[in-house]
Amino acid sequence: MLDLLRMGNTIKDVALHLHVDWNMVKDIHKRYLKSRYSHPDIRHVRRIGIDEFATSKGHVYKTIVVDLDTGRIIHVGEGKGKEDGHIGMV
């Protein structure tokens, strides 16, 4: 299933192909992503970029932290960093 998602198929496409519920595919994918990316190794990160973006008509915000040398996403947090008082990293 994860291979099908990695190939660019949507969750809906994978669920239809495997004859399973969309929620099952989504849950498995979320658990995989959390286990794979929730604790990134930041020992070699030298420079970061931080940005905030709206996810829903300017009312729901996320803050993203990126390793500027590799382009790798290090952290995505809820809200704006300044509003929340912290970014929640390290």
Side-chain angles (χ1 to χ4, degrees):
M1 181 201 70
L2 293 171
D3 288 337
L4 292 171
L5 291 168
R6 282 189 205 104
M7 291 172 32
N9 293 296
T10 66
I11 291 172
K12 181 180 178 181
D13 291 338
V14 173
L16 289 172
H17 178 73
L18 297 176
H19 305 287
V20 296
D21 184 58
W22 182 93
N23 291 310
M24 176 187 283
V25 177
K26 180 66 174 178
D27 183 55
I28 292 169
H29 192 225
K30 280 174 62 174
R31 283 188 282 146
Y32 165 75
L33 292 173
K34 185 174 183 176
S35 71
R36 176 78 168 89
Y37 297 107
S38 64
H39 300 289
D41 181 1
I42 60 171
R43 288 177 289 182
H44 303 292
V45 174
R46 295 171 32 147
R47 301 179 312 135
I48 63 170
I50 302 172
D51 197 9
E52 298 160 347
F53 60 95
T55 60
S56 174
K57 301 253 184 196
H59 298 290
V60 178
Y61 290 92
K62 300 280 187 184
T63 299
I64 187 169
V65 181
V66 178
D67 179 338
L68 291 177
D69 296 315
T70 66
R72 182 174 59 115
I73 297 171
I74 298 170
H75 177 76
V76 178
E78 299 293 326
K80 292 183 177 183
K82 187 174 182 179
E83 288 176 0
D84 290 345
H86 70 287
I87 295 175
M89 210 179 113
V90 190

